[in-house]
């Protein structure tokens, strides 16, 4: 399983990378290589040009802004996000979810930007970005635009990005209010693509009612989905398994495609089971956080 | 005799090179000038080949040659040799080295491109223009046997490849006198082998001496030589086949494949070494696997659970060709009655051609399938008659006092099937004790309080291992005094070098690691057959013993002559022959060896033949029977369908243990294959197009460390009287009952719902379906 | 034919260079250009882990990297695990031998490299952590039990060496 021949380009600056993207035909960006590598080796893709952005410094690193925003360079490796203590303090759900993202060695190379542009429907990181209303900064040689994560997926594994554009960074505003979190995923084996996965953030008011919540779902639809309908049902309510059960029903309304290995119904059913469990865990986590 | 290496948990000889990355697998062997091959494989399950245009491939710089069958010498445009001829085969069809005018499965080799490197060879394959006329295909073996089914092979109107009947005793009488008859149907699917090192072959032709050398990632170098020689119509002596380090075999590497043949032909044509290394994508469609079996089973028993007879009928998926005789179908039925004294058996099996890669044995072959039927039948009786599962086994087991036990059946050779030794009741007790089965109900109740469904699985088995007829070994004392053992047999991780060295070491008072071992080369003196069917320890082991014993006796005799002592007064300690109790009076084995090889005009000691070496064979007409009982604890999440494996226990008897560390390794590894079959591994095909639906290791689920339980092994030894060391096989003993054990555990966990699980693999989705079905049934 | 790229890198402390096509994987470069055949190729799609090496100190699959990407990098392969020119085995290697962590040996280099890298950042792993770690490496022979024991024992040895 060897790739077809391609021309290899390695820009050493963002400007160089953008210039190449504009001028080269039939070019693919090589980031972590954990998705593109297999596709090249299988000859599923046979680009004329490959642009290796691993040595573009401007799109790496995690920056904490004074306004509370966290800016993550698209080429930040998944393990870097996992290990960053300051990041984990503010966004602990990432470390929890990253346990499920591929495997140790793939996280050493795989990037946040790569996961977001590849847009596998079962990918965890797009789910977390949806949970947190992330904003994506897209650059081209002559332009820069910011896209909300909710406008990022155009269709199945197709992101809102042109051939001459590059995802340069992701901006996340962590919740400042005290909250609990949970991330649950079901896969056949550890590290496999999720059958379904649920990410949840939940805050409680002083009456123990849900004052703020965000729930996103992966693996079921054509990409990560924020369950806004479920969130509305939860707001203002006191947590109970019955509440969780009734909020979970919104999942039935989703379009869940089947594939050779799982039916859509099974994915939805799994998602509902996980939804209830994730909500409970986030709730317990929120209570625990308050008593600390 | 000396330090006892046999039976000790010695570290492996193989490890020193393997842990440092100095193993030598086929793709590690470098010969300057070697070309790389890549194959064009059929993209369709069934088609007529209209044309193959290799011209564009040949034009690519770096491509040295491209061949289809038509480009080979006419004498080679014939079908490959049948490895195991059997008159019962109705569709005795083997592939051509490259497809002629019909392709019958996705993955069938059609053409080969040979280039300076594999990258270019694949470019060449991509440039081949292939024109196919699609034909109807059939994937489901049951569909294949229905009237009007598409022909899998245009040469055969009927897809029925063979109908076998394994029968003994009076089954009609058994059913007539039964208190109960239970009928069940089972679906079994075993999947693909997925050894970590894909197949590979490197061939070199020395035109000066007209000799072909082949390094192949094979389990059967001697058989590969035999089939190559037969096909190429030349002397076996002109072909040398070597199995280097092999990264796992599990059965499918024991088969001789078209790629081996094509690479051998190519190297001769091109006068340069040619190498083909299978990649994982090819492995999915080009390496043999096991697939579907559907069983209808009737069990007749008395009220106390004693089985009087079994009737069964199986439809078996053979795949598109029959390269390996009826080994897999036969091993699916011959194991009956298993470890039980059942007087009447009538099992029929219908093997069907299908448009998929041929099925040949994988670890256990058909034995796990037969044992699954037997074990599920035992569990059915227990369930329906409300008897204890262990008790039903005890009622039916062959008893210790009945050994050697004749089952009433005969092997094809005419030899009666005789279980040599064992204590089946004891291994059952060991497993029950290890798993604390007595206290299980307490654990189950406790788990139920937290909403968890706990189950205890039990499965027993016995296994014909050490398959006849022989293996051989040569033991030599080298001029330096080192002991060298050469065996034509080879290993794929079992630790053959180590056990061979352990056995030989004891005869010469040396340590295991002092013994030099070479394996897997057809140029060795001793003949060999194949490393399959857990046969090597029990056949190679005794042959090493026989050869070492002969060498030892010769050394003692010569030393006795020199010392003017009796042989009985001598001992061999640390490679030196000396007189017991007389320190300082000794001679090194190396000295004796040099005396026996002598020189021109220098006599060999009178009364002795030249050399201090011997070649010996252990021959046997019958296999030896290992046995055991497995138990497991599983936890089922009935909301998600997930199954967690909490614990697994094996109580095992493989006769005399050569190295307990290695036996444990084989057992544990084998159990994990069984777990894979039970819960994860499903080589799915699209029923209409014949396209495989699993094409990479993300889609085909091999067991990973995170889902495996702790596997606890206990052993007992009931030495076999059939070979001088009492050894029985251990390679497949984990797999054979493993599937039944896991399924039995899941069924036990769901006992409150009274769900029957008559199939595997069992995915969470399927488990939920079974639970839903049962709930709907109860509601209505 | 596409352009060749000159690359120079350090492997196991030694300098290597070559002129390579961009599509040449790092695994193939190590195995066929550098004669370091200890790194094995099991799947070429980043799932089995047999090809795992260390790239600039971190475990990575060499089948999903191209040799050109490793220009200027420091690579460690299984041949470089032992120290003192192979005379002194790495604790991971010793533990694999001790606990029967290998049978056919094909997954072994990748397994050892993965564990060795991990233990540098987590010197006191639990059994669950080791199992999760090696869930990215497929073994078809051992059933993983010996490998897990070897990982835990290697961690213990390394902690002893540190103190």
């Amino acid at each position: 399983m060897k790739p077809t021949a391609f021309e290899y380009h390695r820009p050493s600056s963002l400007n160089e990378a953008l210039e190449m993207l504009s001028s080269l035909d039939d070019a693919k960006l090589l980031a972590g290589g954990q998705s593109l590598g297999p596709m090249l080796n299988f000859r599923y893709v046979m680009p004329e040009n490959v642009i290796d952005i691993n040595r573009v410094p401007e799109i790496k690193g995690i920056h904490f802004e004074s306004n509370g925003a966290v800016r993550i360079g698209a080429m930040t490796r998944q393990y870097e996000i996992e290990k960053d203590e300051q990041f984990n303090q503010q966004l602990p759900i990432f470390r929890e979810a990253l346990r499920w993202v591929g495997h140790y060695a793939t996280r050493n190379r795989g990037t946040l930007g790569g996961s977001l542009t590849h847009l596998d429907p079962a990918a965890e990181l797009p789910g977390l970005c949806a949970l947190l209303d992330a904003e994506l900064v897209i650059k081209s040689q002559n332009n820069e635009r910011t896209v909300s994560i909710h406008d990022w997926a155009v269709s199945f594994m197709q992101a809102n990005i042109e051939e001459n554009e590059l995802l340069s960074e992701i901006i996340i505003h962590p919740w400042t209010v005290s909250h609990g979190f949970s991330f649950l995923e079901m896969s056949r084996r550890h590290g496999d693509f999720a059958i379904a996965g649920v990410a949840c953030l939940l805050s409680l008011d002083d009456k123990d009612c849900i004052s703020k919540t965000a729930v996103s779902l992966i693996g079921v639809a054509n990409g990560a989905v924020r369950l806004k309908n479920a969130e509305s049902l939860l707001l203002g309510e006191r947590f109970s398994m019955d509440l969780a059960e009734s909020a979970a029903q919104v999942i039935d309304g989703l379009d869940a495609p089947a594939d050779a290995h799982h039916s859509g119904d099974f994915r939805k059913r799994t998602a509902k089971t996980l939804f209830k469990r994730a909500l409970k865990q986030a709730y317990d986590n929120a209570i625990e956080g308050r008593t600390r | 005799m000396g330090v006892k290496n046999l039976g000790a948990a010695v570290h492996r000889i193989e490890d020193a090179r393997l842990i440092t990355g100095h193993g030598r697998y086929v793709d590690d062997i470098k010969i300057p000038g070697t070309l790389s091959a890549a194959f064009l494989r059929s993209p369709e399950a069934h088609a007529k080949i209209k044309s193959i245009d290799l011209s564009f491939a040949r034009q690519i710089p770096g491509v040295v040659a491209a061949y289809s069958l038509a480009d080979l010498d006419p004498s080679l445009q014939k079908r490959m040799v049948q490895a195991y001829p059997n008159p019962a085969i109705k569709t005795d069809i083997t592939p051509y080295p490259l497809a002629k005018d019909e392709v019958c499965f996705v993955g069938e080799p059609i053409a080969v491109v040979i280039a300076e490197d594999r990258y270019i060879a694949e470019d060449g394959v991509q440039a081949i223009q292939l024109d196919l006329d699609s034909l109807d295909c059939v994937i489901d073996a049951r569909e294949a046997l229905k009237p009007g089914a598409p022909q899998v092979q245009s040469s055969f109107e009927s897809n029925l490849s063979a109908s076998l009947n394994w029968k003994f005793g009076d089954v009609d009488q058994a059913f007539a006198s039964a208190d109960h008859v239970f009928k069940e149907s089972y679906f079994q699917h075993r999947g693909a082998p997925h050894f970590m090192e894909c197949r590979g072959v490197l061939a070199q032709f020395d035109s000066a001496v007209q000799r072909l050398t082949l390094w192949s990632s094979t389990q059967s170098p001697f058989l590969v030589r035999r089939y190559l020689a037969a096909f190429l119509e030349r002397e076996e002596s002109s072909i040398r086949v070597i199995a280097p380090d092999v990264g796992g075999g599990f059965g499918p590497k024991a088969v001789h494949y078209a790629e081996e043949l094509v690479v051998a032909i190519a190297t001769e044509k091109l006068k340069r070494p040619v190498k083909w290394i299978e990649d994982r994508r090819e492995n999915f469609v080009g390496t043999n696997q096991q697939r579907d079996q559907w069983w209808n089973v009737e069990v007749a028993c008395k009220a106390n659970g004693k089985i009087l007879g079994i009737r069964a009928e199986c439809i078996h998926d053979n795949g598109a060709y029959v390269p390996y005789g009826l080994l897999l179908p036969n091993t699916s039925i011959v194991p009956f009655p298993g470890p039980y004294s059942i007087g009447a058996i009538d099992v029929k099996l219908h093997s069907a051609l299908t448009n998929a890669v041929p099925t040949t044995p994988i670890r256990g072959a058909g034995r796990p399938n037969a044992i699954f039927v037997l074990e599920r039948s035992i569990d059915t009786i227990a369930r329906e008659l409300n008897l204890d599962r262990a008790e039903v086994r005890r009622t039916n087991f062959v008893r210790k006092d009945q050994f050697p036990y004749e089952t009433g059946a005969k092997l094809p050779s005419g030899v009666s099937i005789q279980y040599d030794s064992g204590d089946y009741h004891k291994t059952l007790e060991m497993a029950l004790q290890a798993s604390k089965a007595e206290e299980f109900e307490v654990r189950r109740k406790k788990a139920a309080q937290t909403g968890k469904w706990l189950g205890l699985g039990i499965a027993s088995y016995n296994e014909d291992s050490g398959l006849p007829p022989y293996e051989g070994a040569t033991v030599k004392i080298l001029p330096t005094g080192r002991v060298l053992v050469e065996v034509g047999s080879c290993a794929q991780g079992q630790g053959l070098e180590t056990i061979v060295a352990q056995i030989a070491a004891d005869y010469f008072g040396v340590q295991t690691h002092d013994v030099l071992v070479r394996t897997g080369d057809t140029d060795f003196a001793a003949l060999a057959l194949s490393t399959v069917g857990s046969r090597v320890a029990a056949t190679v082991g005794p042959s090493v013993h026989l050869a070492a014993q002969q060498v030892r006796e010769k050394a003692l005799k010569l030393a006795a002559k020199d010392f003017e002592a009796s042989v009985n007064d001598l001992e061999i300690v640390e490679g030196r022959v000396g007189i017991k109790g007389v320190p300082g009076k000794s001679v090194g084995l190396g000295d004796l060896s040099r005396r026996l090889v002598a020189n021109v005009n220098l006599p060999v000691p009178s009364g002795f033949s030249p050399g201090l070496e011997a070649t010996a064979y252990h021959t046997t007409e019958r296999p030896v029977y290992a046995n055991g009982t497995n138990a497991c604890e599983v936890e089922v999440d009935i909301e998600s369908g997930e199954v967690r494996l909490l614990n697994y226990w094996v109580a095992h008897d493989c006769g005399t243990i050569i190295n307990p560390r290695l036996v444990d390794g084989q057992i544990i590894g084998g159990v994990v294959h069984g777990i894979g079959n039970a819960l994860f591994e499903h080589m799915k095909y699209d029923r209409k197009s014949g396209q495989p639906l699993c094409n990479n290791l993300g889609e085909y689920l091999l067991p990973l460390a995170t889902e495996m339980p702790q596997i606890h092994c206990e052993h007992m030894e009931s030495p076999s009287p059939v070979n001088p060391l009492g050894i029985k096989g251990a390679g497949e003993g984990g797999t054979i009952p493993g599937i039944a054990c896991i399924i039995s555990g899941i069924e036990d966990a769901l006992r409150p719902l009274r769900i029957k699980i008559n199939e595997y693999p069992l995915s969470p989705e399927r488990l939920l379906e079974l639970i839903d079905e049962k709930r709907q049934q109860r509601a209505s | 034919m596409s352009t060749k790229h000159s690359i120079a890198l350090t492997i196991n402390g030694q300098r290597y260079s070559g002129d390579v096509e961009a599509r040449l994987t790092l695994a193939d470069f190590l195995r066929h250009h550098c004669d370091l055949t200890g790194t094995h190729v099991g799947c070429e799609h980043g799932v089995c882990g047999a090809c795992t090496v260390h790239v600039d100190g971190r475990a990575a699959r060499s089948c999903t990297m191209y040799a050109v990407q490793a220009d200027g990098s420091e690579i460690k392969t299984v041949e470089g695990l032992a120290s003192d020119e192979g005379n002194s085995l790495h604790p991971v290697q010793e533990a694999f031998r001790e606990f029967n962590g290998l049978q056919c040996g094909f997954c072994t280099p990748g397994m050892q490299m993965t564990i060795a890298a991990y233990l540098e950042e987590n010197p006191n792993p639990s059994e669950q952590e080791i199992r999760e770690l090696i869930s990215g490496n497929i073994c078809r022979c051992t059933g993983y039990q010996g490998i897990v024991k070897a990982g835990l024992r290697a961690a213990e040895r390394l902690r002893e060496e540190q103190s």
Side-chain angles (χ1 to χ4, degrees), chain A residues 250-262:
Chain A
V250 307
I251 290 170
D252 279 330
L254 292 173
D255 238 336
D259 59 40
H261 306 286
H262 304 287

PDB file of all heavy atoms in Angstrom, chain A residues 250-262:
ATOM      1  N   VAL A 250     -35.061  13.614  22.039  1.00  0.00           N
ATOM      2  CA  VAL A 250     -34.820  14.471  20.865  1.00  0.00           C
ATOM      3  C   VAL A 250     -33.910  13.771  19.861  1.00  0.00           C
ATOM      4  O   VAL A 250     -33.942  14.052  18.667  1.00  0.00           O
ATOM      5  CB  VAL A 250     -34.208  15.851  21.243  1.00  0.00           C
ATOM      6  CG1 VAL A 250     -35.038  16.540  22.297  1.00  0.00           C
ATOM      7  CG2 VAL A 250     -32.776  15.726  21.649  1.00  0.00           C
ATOM      8  N   ILE A 251     -33.129  12.830  20.369  1.00  0.00           N
ATOM      9  CA  ILE A 251     -32.176  12.132  19.501  1.00  0.00           C
ATOM     10  C   ILE A 251     -32.901  11.317  18.438  1.00  0.00           C
ATOM     11  O   ILE A 251     -32.406  11.131  17.322  1.00  0.00           O
ATOM     12  CB  ILE A 251     -31.235  11.262  20.364  1.00  0.00           C
ATOM     13  CG1 ILE A 251     -30.304  12.182  21.168  1.00  0.00           C
ATOM     14  CG2 ILE A 251     -30.425  10.290  19.513  1.00  0.00           C
ATOM     15  CD1 ILE A 251     -29.483  11.488  22.251  1.00  0.00           C
ATOM     16  N   ASP A 252     -34.098  10.855  18.772  1.00  0.00           N
ATOM     17  CA  ASP A 252     -34.870  10.088  17.792  1.00  0.00           C
ATOM     18  C   ASP A 252     -35.146  10.893  16.535  1.00  0.00           C
ATOM     19  O   ASP A 252     -35.311  10.328  15.453  1.00  0.00           O
ATOM     20  CB  ASP A 252     -36.208   9.638  18.402  1.00  0.00           C
ATOM     21  CG  ASP A 252     -36.018   8.394  19.255  1.00  0.00           C
ATOM     22  OD1 ASP A 252     -35.111   7.611  18.943  1.00  0.00           O
ATOM     23  OD2 ASP A 252     -36.778   8.219  20.229  1.00  0.00           O
ATOM     24  N   GLY A 253     -35.216  12.210  16.691  1.00  0.00           N
ATOM     25  CA  GLY A 253     -35.518  13.049  15.536  1.00  0.00           C
ATOM     26  C   GLY A 253     -34.346  13.258  14.595  1.00  0.00           C
ATOM     27  O   GLY A 253     -34.483  13.864  13.533  1.00  0.00           O
ATOM     28  N   LEU A 254     -33.173  12.769  14.969  1.00  0.00           N
ATOM     29  CA  LEU A 254     -31.989  12.994  14.134  1.00  0.00           C
ATOM     30  C   LEU A 254     -31.952  12.009  12.972  1.00  0.00           C
ATOM     31  O   LEU A 254     -32.437  10.893  13.062  1.00  0.00           O
ATOM     32  CB  LEU A 254     -30.723  12.820  14.977  1.00  0.00           C
ATOM     33  CG  LEU A 254     -30.462  13.855  16.062  1.00  0.00           C
ATOM     34  CD1 LEU A 254     -29.263  13.435  16.905  1.00  0.00           C
ATOM     35  CD2 LEU A 254     -30.213  15.232  15.448  1.00  0.00           C
ATOM     36  N   ASP A 255     -31.308  12.463  11.917  1.00  0.00           N
ATOM     37  CA  ASP A 255     -31.051  11.599  10.766  1.00  0.00           C
ATOM     38  C   ASP A 255     -29.775  10.820  11.032  1.00  0.00           C
ATOM     39  O   ASP A 255     -28.695  11.414  11.091  1.00  0.00           O
ATOM     40  CB  ASP A 255     -30.792  12.495   9.549  1.00  0.00           C
ATOM     41  CG  ASP A 255     -31.758  12.197   8.440  1.00  0.00           C
ATOM     42  OD1 ASP A 255     -32.305  11.060   8.406  1.00  0.00           O
ATOM     43  OD2 ASP A 255     -31.972  13.080   7.618  1.00  0.00           O
ATOM     44  N   ALA A 256     -29.896   9.537  11.193  1.00  0.00           N
ATOM     45  CA  ALA A 256     -28.701   8.761  11.522  1.00  0.00           C
ATOM     46  C   ALA A 256     -28.422   7.763  10.409  1.00  0.00           C
ATOM     47  O   ALA A 256     -29.119   6.764  10.262  1.00  0.00           O
ATOM     48  CB  ALA A 256     -28.894   8.025  12.846  1.00  0.00           C
ATOM     49  N   PRO A 257     -27.407   8.030   9.607  1.00  0.00           N
ATOM     50  CA  PRO A 257     -27.134   7.111   8.503  1.00  0.00           C
ATOM     51  C   PRO A 257     -26.565   5.784   8.991  1.00  0.00           C
ATOM     52  O   PRO A 257     -25.848   5.738   9.983  1.00  0.00           O
ATOM     53  CB  PRO A 257     -26.082   7.867   7.676  1.00  0.00           C
ATOM     54  CG  PRO A 257     -25.457   8.838   8.602  1.00  0.00           C
ATOM     55  CD  PRO A 257     -26.442   9.128   9.690  1.00  0.00           C
ATOM     56  N   ALA A 258     -26.936   4.723   8.288  1.00  0.00           N
ATOM     57  CA  ALA A 258     -26.371   3.407   8.607  1.00  0.00           C
ATOM     58  C   ALA A 258     -25.104   3.218   7.797  1.00  0.00           C
ATOM     59  O   ALA A 258     -24.900   3.861   6.780  1.00  0.00           O
ATOM     60  CB  ALA A 258     -27.382   2.323   8.250  1.00  0.00           C
ATOM     61  N   ASP A 259     -24.248   2.337   8.254  1.00  0.00           N
ATOM     62  CA  ASP A 259     -23.116   1.931   7.429  1.00  0.00           C
ATOM     63  C   ASP A 259     -23.016   0.423   7.500  1.00  0.00           C
ATOM     64  O   ASP A 259     -23.884  -0.231   8.071  1.00  0.00           O
ATOM     65  CB  ASP A 259     -21.809   2.621   7.873  1.00  0.00           C
ATOM     66  CG  ASP A 259     -21.454   2.315   9.316  1.00  0.00           C
ATOM     67  OD1 ASP A 259     -21.624   1.145   9.755  1.00  0.00           O
ATOM     68  OD2 ASP A 259     -21.000   3.230  10.020  1.00  0.00           O
ATOM     69  N   ALA A 260     -21.960  -0.114   6.929  1.00  0.00           N
ATOM     70  CA  ALA A 260     -21.837  -1.573   6.865  1.00  0.00           C
ATOM     71  C   ALA A 260     -21.763  -2.204   8.246  1.00  0.00           C
ATOM     72  O   ALA A 260     -21.978  -3.396   8.395  1.00  0.00           O
ATOM     73  CB  ALA A 260     -20.596  -1.940   6.065  1.00  0.00           C
ATOM     74  N   HIS A 261     -21.454  -1.402   9.241  1.00  0.00           N
ATOM     75  CA  HIS A 261     -21.150  -2.012  10.535  1.00  0.00           C
ATOM     76  C   HIS A 261     -22.175  -1.704  11.613  1.00  0.00           C
ATOM     77  O   HIS A 261     -22.285  -2.427  12.587  1.00  0.00           O
ATOM     78  CB  HIS A 261     -19.742  -1.589  10.970  1.00  0.00           C
ATOM     79  CG  HIS A 261     -18.732  -1.903   9.902  1.00  0.00           C
ATOM     80  ND1 HIS A 261     -18.305  -3.196   9.662  1.00  0.00           N
ATOM     81  CD2 HIS A 261     -18.130  -1.133   8.971  1.00  0.00           C
ATOM     82  CE1 HIS A 261     -17.463  -3.175   8.633  1.00  0.00           C
ATOM     83  NE2 HIS A 261     -17.339  -1.946   8.197  1.00  0.00           N
ATOM     84  N   HIS A 262     -22.911  -0.610  11.486  1.00  0.00           N
ATOM     85  CA  HIS A 262     -23.911  -0.267  12.497  1.00  0.00           C
ATOM     86  C   HIS A 262     -25.127   0.341  11.822  1.00  0.00           C
ATOM     87  O   HIS A 262     -25.002   1.100  10.865  1.00  0.00           O
ATOM     88  CB  HIS A 262     -23.352   0.765  13.483  1.00  0.00           C
ATOM     89  CG  HIS A 262     -22.090   0.314  14.152  1.00  0.00           C
ATOM     90  ND1 HIS A 262     -22.077  -0.650  15.119  1.00  0.00           N
ATOM     91  CD2 HIS A 262     -20.808   0.693  13.967  1.00  0.00           C
ATOM     92  CE1 HIS A 262     -20.821  -0.839  15.512  1.00  0.00           C
ATOM     93  NE2 HIS A 262     -20.028  -0.047  14.836  1.00  0.00           N
TER      94      HIS A 262
END
